[in-house]
Amino acid sequence: MEIILEALGDPGRYHVLITCMFAVTWWSMTFGAISMAFYGEPLKIKCNVPSRHISYSPNELPYLENSSVPFTNISMAKDECSYNITSVTNGTVTHSSHQCDSWTYLDGGREISNIVTEWNLVCSNHYKVSLTTTMFFVGVFIGAPIFGFISDQFGRKKTLAVCLYSHIPIALAISFMPEYISFTVFRLFLGVWLQGISTVAFVHCIEFFRQKYRGVVMVGFGMSWAVGQLLTTLIAYFLPNWRHMQRVSVALPLITLPYYWWLPESPRWLLVKGRFDEILKVFIQRAAKVNHVSGKLNWFKQQLEELKQTNILVASDAQPQSFVNILKTGILLKRLLAMCYSWCMASMTYYMFIFNTTELGGDIYKYYAIGAGLEIIVNFFTIFLMTRFGRRRPLFVFSFLLGVVCIVCGTIPRTLNLGIAILCFALLGRMAIAAVMCLIFVYAAELFPTFARGSCIAICGCSLRIGGMLAPQVIYLGGLVSPEFPYIIVAVMMILIGVIAIFLPETFGRSLPNTIEEAVDIQNQIEGSEPKMDESETISTITEQQEKLVVTTSNCDTKC
């Protein structure tokens, strides 16, 4: 299959086109993931005190308390969540405290309507905003293995279509939810379906490419994520009512309606299922026409026939490989744990910068628009860094840079008028974490042998989602302890990722490991070098890799 893909353009216009089409499907996932930053945007509040209470100036209180005239005075708590009442009746002074049950939201005249203003999710109910975000990522965590398995059984194309179009009623229903609990439950279900889109679209896309281009495809999806952020920000700016915003989001998957009739099934999945005629009909003929290599059709048919015969020979001889071997190999187990930690902490840091915008002192719309643009630039820049300096050194540098940025963001006194400085450091952090995310995705895919690569990536993906669940809770904890607390914690964690990178082997310029022995000794592997073996063993190994890669890659989970 690698030879066929190379002859089709390596890659050609067809590959670029389908990559763009697949990447667009991620916009729905992007909207679902970051829309809570706008739905739950914290606003300044003012307690609506019952009109029967009167406030006096501090200079008047001593005189009134010593008089025989009955009076009542109110004083507000600093957080606008409660008020104290001082009353004098027949010379007796009484003090009582009351919780606010109604607020005026100060939105700067934009007339913002979100779940905070509609359901009064402030003060003692403020935790519900972060809880809703966490529940969405619980759904994402659940959806990854479910739809990975379904796509293995029934194909990438059908599974992607189901996820793309069946989540539309759920997304639309959310905009009509009358209260908080039903809204949160439906958001959880939405997370399940959106993660199906994210996982299957990515796996479906990379199976059209040779191994050496998969890092570039990962970066391309990262750019799509950034474009999705920009679109979400524009929708939120022009539609300050969260219900209207949610309804408009349904248009994003509708853009992809023609996909089912135009996009082909994954050639690698068809290969595993033995459906060689479909590989020629739905993929090779189309790709050859768009890439202007239709003159090679007879050669493609010959290659498919040879591949078919090879698969028949290998099917009876293939030796089963087990992921358990990874767990039994100490050095690979350490790498897996290192990658799980790195993915989890990077995800938590990313979403902290996403959901904690207001605490950083910046304008939320400006921050997201500029941040999304910078992420696109960073993804291009990261490709250059990976091809120039490898994976390990850039990961070390960006992790330490991010740690320093987090310390600065957390320690700048909010009492100083340094809003622009805080915003600049926050954007620098967004750039650094975008680079870190890109690097660890590519790095993890190159550290493990082929037969277990998909399983290892799936486990790392679960860690990624755990980080997404933790982020809103860490932010909420920072509100209870101190604003500096989340950033100091994250700074330490990110610096530790940089330290871990020092002890990982460099994978740039090395051939992808196929066996445990090659993975352990990857530092000494040279790209293009393979262990010597006889011809029959070579054919068996290559074909087995192709089969295992398609089956296991479906479990791969990403940022997205």
Side-chain angles (χ1 to χ4, degrees):
M1 182 58 74
E2 295 292 319
I3 297 175
I4 293 175
L5 291 176
E6 182 177 6
L8 278 172
D10 197 36
R13 279 186 262 180
Y14 181 83
H15 298 81
V16 175
L17 179 61
I18 62 174
T19 300
C20 293
M21 295 176 70
F22 279 119
V24 167
T25 64
W26 266 31
W27 291 352
S28 295
M29 178 63 183
T30 308
F31 184 94
I34 73 170
S35 57
M36 273 303 296
F38 301 100
Y39 292 175
E41 178 185 355
L43 302 171
K44 292 182 179 180
I45 59 175
K46 181 179 180 181
C47 179
N48 295 329
V49 180
S51 58
R52 66 179 181 274
H53 299 308
I54 304 173
S55 293
Y56 294 92
S57 68
N59 294 330
E60 296 176 300
L61 289 180
Y63 169 76
L64 291 172
E65 289 181 3
N66 294 324
S67 70
S68 59
V69 179
F71 83 98
T72 301
N73 181 66
I74 180 171
S75 60
M76 290 300 308
K78 291 183 180 180
D79 58 3
E80 294 287 341
C81 292
S82 61
Y83 56 92
N84 301 313
I85 296 178
T86 301
S87 60
V88 177
T89 304
N90 297 326
T92 303
V93 180
T94 59
H95 302 278
S96 58
S97 180
H98 302 265
Q99 295 297 317
C100 293
D101 56 11
S102 176
W103 293 266
T104 297
Y105 294 91
L106 310 177
D107 55 13
R110 282 187 47 80
E111 298 183 359
I112 294 175
S113 174
N114 58 25
I115 64 171
V116 174
T117 63
E118 187 167 330
W119 297 321
N120 287 330
L121 302 184
V122 295
C123 298
S124 61
N125 287 321
H126 178 61
Y127 76 94
K128 293 182 179 179
V129 177
S130 58
L131 180 60
T132 297
T133 304
T134 296
M135 294 308 294
F136 172 82
F137 283 104
V138 170
V140 167
F141 184 86
I142 295 171
I146 291 177
F147 288 107
F149 172 78
I150 292 175
S151 69
D152 277 347
Q153 300 301 312
F154 302 102
R156 320 301 193 208
K157 180 178 177 178
K158 292 180 181 178
T159 307
L160 179 60
V162 169
C163 294
L164 269 175
Y165 309 132
S166 61
H167 91 273
I168 294 177
I170 300 176
L172 190 60
I174 288 175
S175 68
F176 294 98
M177 292 297 104
E179 40 76 37
Y180 170 80
I181 295 179
S182 58
F183 172 82
T184 301
V185 171
F186 270 75
R187 284 275 300 176
L188 185 148
F189 290 143
L190 183 67
V192 175
W193 291 99
L194 289 181
Q195 182 55 34
I197 298 174
S198 177
T199 299
V200 179
F202 177 74
V203 172
H204 195 173
C205 184
I206 65 173
E207 289 178 343
F208 287 94
F209 289 84
R210 296 173 64 201
Q211 290 181 351
K212 69 177 183 178
Y213 292 112
R214 289 180 181 174
V216 178
V217 173
M218 289 180 184
V219 174
F221 273 82
M223 294 178 186
S224 176
W225 179 274
V227 172
Q229 286 189 56
L230 186 59
L231 289 174
T232 304
T233 303
L234 291 174
I235 294 173
Y237 182 79
F238 289 106
L239 295 175
N241 186 303
W242 77 271
R243 295 184 184 274
H244 299 162
M245 183 179 170
Q246 181 67 33
R247 289 163 193 164
V248 169
S249 72
V250 175
L252 297 177
L254 293 178
I255 298 174
T256 65
L257 278 177
Y259 283 20
Y260 188 78
W261 292 273
W262 202 89
L263 286 176
E265 180 57 88
S266 163
R268 296 181 186 274
W269 185 83
L270 293 172
L271 173 67
V272 170
K273 298 300 181 181
R275 292 155 62 170
F276 294 91
D277 292 338
E278 290 184 49
I279 296 177
L280 179 66
K281 181 178 179 180
V282 304
F283 171 54
I284 292 180
Q285 289 181 349
R286 292 182 184 178
K289 182 178 179 180
V290 175
N291 291 342
H292 304 296
V293 290
S294 299
K296 297 182 179 180
L297 280 179
N298 290 331
W299 181 85
F300 286 130
K301 292 178 182 178
Q302 180 182 355
Q303 291 296 318
L304 279 177
E305 186 61 32
E306 293 178 3
L307 191 58
K308 183 177 181 179
Q309 296 302 321
T310 302
N311 273 18
I312 293 174
L313 291 174
V314 171
S316 60
D317 251 355
Q319 296 295 323
Q321 301 284 354
S322 175
F323 171 74
V324 176
N325 294 334
I326 298 292
L327 304 180
K328 292 180 178 179
T329 306
I331 189 170
L332 296 185
L333 178 59
K334 291 176 182 178
R335 288 181 195 171
L336 180 59
L337 293 175
M339 284 292 103
C340 286
Y341 170 82
S342 300
W343 283 44
C344 180
M345 291 299 104
S347 175
M348 187 177 77
T349 305
Y350 180 82
Y351 284 109
M352 274 190 59
F353 278 100
I354 289 291
F355 294 126
N356 209 28
T357 303
T358 303
E359 297 299 327
L360 291 173
D363 178 86
I364 187 171
Y365 303 101
K366 182 191 302 182
Y367 176 80
Y368 272 100
I370 297 176
L374 290 176
E375 281 194 33
I376 295 174
I377 296 173
V378 166
N379 277 282
F380 277 112
F381 185 57
T382 305
I383 295 177
F384 166 76
L385 290 178
M386 286 193 294
T387 56
R388 175 77 175 176
F389 301 103
R391 283 57 163 146
R392 182 171 58 184
R393 283 184 288 177
L395 180 58
F396 172 82
V397 171
F398 279 113
S399 297
F400 265 82
L401 174 63
L402 186 54
V404 173
V405 169
C406 288
I407 292 174
V408 172
C409 286
T411 55
I412 291 181
R414 299 312 192 255
T415 55
L416 300 178
N417 191 16
L418 298 175
I420 298 298
I422 296 175
L423 180 60
C424 290
F425 275 105
L427 291 172
L428 182 60
R430 283 281 297 273
M431 295 172 66
I433 189 58
V436 169
M437 295 283 277
C438 181
L439 286 163
I440 60 176
F441 287 166
V442 177
Y443 210 171
E446 298 172 339
L447 283 172
F448 303 103
T450 299
F451 73 88
R453 186 172 297 124
S455 298
C456 292
I457 294 297
I459 293 175
C460 291
C462 291
S463 302
L464 187 82
R465 300 312 172 195
I466 292 174
M469 296 179 205
L470 292 175
Q473 301 307 317
V474 173
I475 294 172
Y476 178 72
L477 184 61
L480 298 178
V481 180
S482 70
E484 295 82 8
F485 175 78
Y487 294 100
I488 301 303
I489 293 296
V490 166
V492 175
M493 299 304 177
M494 293 308 302
I495 291 175
L496 186 55
I497 290 180
V499 173
I500 290 174
I502 298 175
F503 298 96
L504 292 174
E506 179 56 71
T507 59
F508 176 64
R510 276 73 174 177
S511 58
L512 286 173
N514 301 318
T515 65
I516 287 182
E517 290 75 16
E518 291 177 18
V520 170
D521 196 39
I522 194 172
Q523 189 72 48
N524 299 320
Q525 294 291 327
I526 305 298
E527 186 173 18
S529 66
E530 299 290 344
K532 294 183 178 180
M533 56 182 75
D534 59 44
E535 183 177 357
S536 61
E537 187 179 359
T538 302
I539 295 175
S540 175
T541 301
I542 292 174
T543 311
E544 182 179 349
Q545 292 168 14
Q546 293 170 348
E547 294 178 354
K548 294 293 182 181
L549 182 61
V550 176
V551 174
T552 58
T553 305
S554 64
N555 294 320
C556 171
D557 196 3
T558 63
K559 119 168 198 226
C560 349

